Amino acid sequence: MNLQQLKAFVLAVELQKLYLVAQRLDITQPTVTFHLNKLQEELGVSLFHTKSYHVIRLTEAGRAFYHYASQISALSSEAASTMDAYREYQAGKLSIGSTHTPATYLLPSLLAGLKRSYPRLSILLDVRPASFILEKLKQYELDLGIISQTRIDDPDLVALPLMRDDLVLVFDPSHPLADAADLSAERLAEHPLVSHEPGSISRTLMDGWARSNGVTLNVAMEVSGSEALKAAVMHRIGCGMIAESCVRTEIAEGKLRMRSIPGWDADRFIYAVRHRNKLISPAMRMFWKAMEEKWPR
C-alpha cells in the first residue's frame, strides 16, 4: 500500500462520494476506484461492504484500518506542510485549541508576542470544550491545547500546569449574599443561580459540589460563555459560579463582588497540552517556552 491509497481511503470515508475524493486529490474518479481496489487487494481484507462505492459503508476491518490510516494521512500532511514552511523560509502555521477562559483572558497577549517574532506565522485559535481539544491533539489535528481541567492522565500527552483556575462565587453588589456572614451551601441553594451549560467542566464541577454538599442548585439561567454569565449576574438574574481569572476586571471596578465557594475542594488548573510524539516546530517551541516563563512552576 502507498500513501496515495491511504489518502483516497481516508477521504472516501470522510467525504462519502468518490467524485469529491477525486476533486480533492486532483485525479479522476476511476483512479480513486483503482486505489481503493488495489489497497484492499494488498491488505487481503475487505474494507467496504460493497464494491460499487455508491454507498460508503465500512466493514469492521475497515473501521479498524481507518483509525490508523487517518493518523498516517494527517501526519503526512503535517510533514509536507512543515517542509513547505522551511523551503519558503516561513514559520508556517500554528493551530491552538483552547477552552473559553484562557482563549479570552490569557492567550491574547502571548499570541501578540508570538506574532511579533513570527510576523508571517498563521495562527488558528479554535475555542472548544476540553474533551474536543484533547481528542484533536491525540489525532495530531492540533499543535497545542490550552485547557481548564482538573487533571490530565494520558500517556500520549505532555501537560504543563500553568496556573490555578478555581471557581468562585460572584454577585451583584446589592445581592443579599454578597456580604452575608453565614454563607453556606444550603443558603446559596435558596437563591437563583446563573450557570454554565451542562457538559462544560465548570458545570460538571458545580454539580459535583452540589451533590457532595447535599443541595440542589436553583439554576435560573444556563449560558455557554463567561461574558454572558457575568452580564446576567450584573443584571441581577442570579449569582454565578465562574473561574476567578474571568472576573478580575469587574471585581477591581466594583461591578461584581467575589466570594469563595463554601466547601469547595476541587483543584482546577489551566494546562498547556501537546502530543508527546508530535514534531515540535520553532513556533511551538517558542510559544511553549513563553508559557513556561510567564507561569513558572
Side-chain angles (χ1 to χ4, degrees):
M1 70 184 162
N2 59 44
L3 188 56
Q4 190 76 337
Q5 292 170 356
L6 287 177
K7 288 183 176 180
F9 170 72
V10 171
L11 288 173
V13 175
E14 295 176 350
L15 301 178
Q16 291 290 300
K17 299 292 184 182
L18 295 197
Y19 78 90
L20 295 176
V21 178
Q23 291 176 1
R24 183 74 64 87
L25 296 177
D26 195 23
I27 58 179
T28 65
Q29 188 167 329
T31 303
V32 176
T33 301
F34 171 80
H35 284 319
L36 296 179
N37 290 339
K38 191 67 175 176
L39 177 62
Q40 294 178 95
E41 178 184 325
E42 293 181 4
L43 291 175
V45 295
S46 295
L47 302 177
F48 301 93
H49 279 292
T50 63
K51 294 182 179 180
S52 65
Y53 306 118
H54 292 308
V55 177
I56 303 296
R57 289 185 57 224
L58 291 177
T59 62
E60 184 177 350
R63 289 193 296 271
F65 186 69
Y66 174 76
H67 172 76
Y68 298 101
S70 60
Q71 294 186 51
I72 294 171
S73 179
L75 284 171
S76 171
S77 298
E78 180 185 341
S81 176
T82 300
M83 293 304 100
D84 286 343
Y86 279 108
R87 277 195 298 271
E88 298 172 9
Y89 301 99
Q90 296 180 7
K93 297 180 179 180
L94 181 65
S95 56
I96 302 173
S98 177
T99 49
H100 177 83
T101 296
T104 306
Y105 305 101
L106 302 179
L107 288 182
S109 62
L110 285 177
L111 294 177
L114 187 65
K115 285 292 288 184
R116 284 192 292 270
S117 298
Y118 291 89
R120 299 180 69 186
L121 175 67
S122 175
I123 299 176
L124 167 67
L125 180 60
D126 195 6
V127 183
R128 301 275 191 153
S131 58
F132 178 93
I133 294 168
L134 292 174
E135 181 59 30
K136 289 300 181 181
L137 286 170
K138 290 174 69 68
Q139 295 295 326
Y140 297 94
E141 295 179 18
L142 288 172
D143 295 321
L144 297 170
I146 314 295
I147 65 173
S148 298
Q149 190 67 284
T150 52
R151 58 188 299 177
I152 299 176
D153 294 321
D154 191 313
D156 292 334
L157 302 176
V158 176
L160 172 68
L162 301 177
M163 60 182 293
R164 291 185 67 90
D165 190 38
D166 285 334
L167 296 183
V168 295
L169 286 169
V170 288
F171 304 90
D172 171 79
S174 64
H175 194 284
L177 297 184
D179 296 306
D182 57 342
L183 182 61
S184 64
E186 291 77 11
R187 190 171 182 191
L188 183 65
E190 296 172 355
H191 292 264
L193 180 76
V194 181
S195 166
H196 286 288
E197 77 280 13
S200 65
I201 182 64
S202 295
R203 180 61 178 270
T204 300
L205 291 173
M206 287 169 50
D207 290 343
W209 171 84
R211 287 192 299 272
S212 65
N213 283 273
V215 298
T216 300
L217 295 174
N218 178 13
V219 178
M221 182 177 178
E222 295 174 343
V223 298
S224 59
S226 298
E227 293 299 317
L229 191 151
K230 290 187 292 185
V233 172
M234 285 188 282
H235 283 81
R236 303 179 185 178
I237 295 176
C239 56
M241 289 188 185
I242 192 172
E244 182 178 354
S245 56
C246 297
V247 292
R248 289 172 181 157
T249 299
E250 289 78 10
I251 299 302
E253 294 175 349
K255 296 178 180 178
L256 291 173
R257 298 291 298 275
M258 180 178 72
R259 301 193 62 174
S260 299
I261 301 173
W264 184 262
D265 61 0
D267 290 328
R268 191 173 82 154
F269 290 83
I270 293 177
Y271 289 90
V273 192
R274 59 178 172 84
H275 198 290
R276 188 175 302 277
N277 297 324
K278 187 175 182 64
L279 174 68
I280 300 177
S281 68
M284 284 178 63
R285 184 176 294 108
M286 177 185 174
F287 193 62
W288 193 272
K289 182 179 179 181
M291 290 187 292
E292 290 179 317
E293 293 174 348
K294 186 173 180 64
W295 294 290
R297 299 179 66 179

